[in-house]
Amino acid sequence: YRTLSSTRDIFTANMDPATGKVTAAPIPVRVNRTGGNVLPRWAPDSRQLAYYWADPRTPGPRNERELSVYSFTTGKEQRVAVKLAGPYCWGRDGASILFNDGEKNPRQPEVARVNLGTSQVTPLFPGASPLALRSCATDLMAALKASGFKARNVPTGSGTEGYRFN
């Protein structure tokens, strides 16, 4: 789970799963850069953590964020080659990240997948109408279109409109 605070770094703490109570003092995740680590997301296997590093010296809309992945198994950090600015989530395989790729058309980004091993970016739904990723849960993603919100099944690409704007 997460708590919101003015701290801009990532900490972990042991918890008792039965009570949900923290059983040890929080400790910082040992990443290379501190002071601007935000929006962490656990990998499906809980052995890796993806997060943004945002340069604290350039706050606001011009603040560039860089996505990194920290491995609790190796203690190493990997910077993802792709520059991301919006929502992202882990692929079910734990070896890829889903994100909005605005490289070709910043006004209409398409949902893409970056392979963490090769840094190769591929469209997630090639030929489909543009969607903007908002969040993911296992095999489903929520997306925003000009007409409303849509849920899409990641493996099959099938979608259902959840809400239509007037």
Side-chain angles (χ1 to χ4, degrees):
Y1 82 99
R2 75 178 187 163
T3 60
L4 300 176
S5 73
S6 61
T7 303
R8 293 178 52 100
D9 268 319
I10 304 166
F11 293 76
T12 61
N14 291 331
M15 295 179 69
D16 179 341
T19 64
K21 294 187 186 265
V22 174
T23 60
I27 57 171
V29 175
R30 304 233 178 259
V31 296
N32 295 331
R33 297 178 288 190
T34 60
N37 300 309
V38 296
L39 300 173
R41 305 279 187 271
W42 286 104
D45 66 4
S46 298
R47 293 184 180 143
Q48 298 180 94
L49 188 71
Y51 60 93
Y52 277 133
W53 177 78
D55 189 341
R57 296 169 295 177
T58 57
R62 293 188 353 221
N63 185 307
E64 293 245 345
R65 293 178 177 175
E66 184 175 286
L67 187 71
S68 293
V69 174
Y70 178 80
S71 168
F72 285 89
T73 304
T74 66
K76 294 188 179 179
E77 176 183 19
Q78 172 190 353
R79 293 186 187 170
V80 178
V82 180
K83 295 262 188 209
L84 307 178
Y88 71 93
C89 53
W90 283 92
R92 183 176 216 186
D93 59 6
S96 61
I97 301 278
L98 310 180
F99 71 103
N100 293 320
D101 185 2
E103 190 71 31
K104 295 176 195 162
N105 185 352
R107 290 179 173 233
Q108 286 190 319
E110 63 181 331
V111 181
R113 177 188 313 263
V114 60
N115 179 306
L116 296 175
T118 65
S119 297
Q120 180 179 3
V121 175
T122 54
L124 196 57
F125 308 113
S129 61
L131 295 167
L133 173 76
R134 289 292 178 237
S135 66
C136 299
T138 314
D139 286 339
L140 294 176
M141 61 166 269
L144 179 65
K145 293 179 62 167
S147 61
F149 288 101
K150 187 170 192 168
R152 185 163 271 183
N153 182 298
V154 174
T156 67
S158 64
T160 302
E161 189 167 69
Y163 180 79
R164 187 164 190 70
F165 296 135
N166 289 333

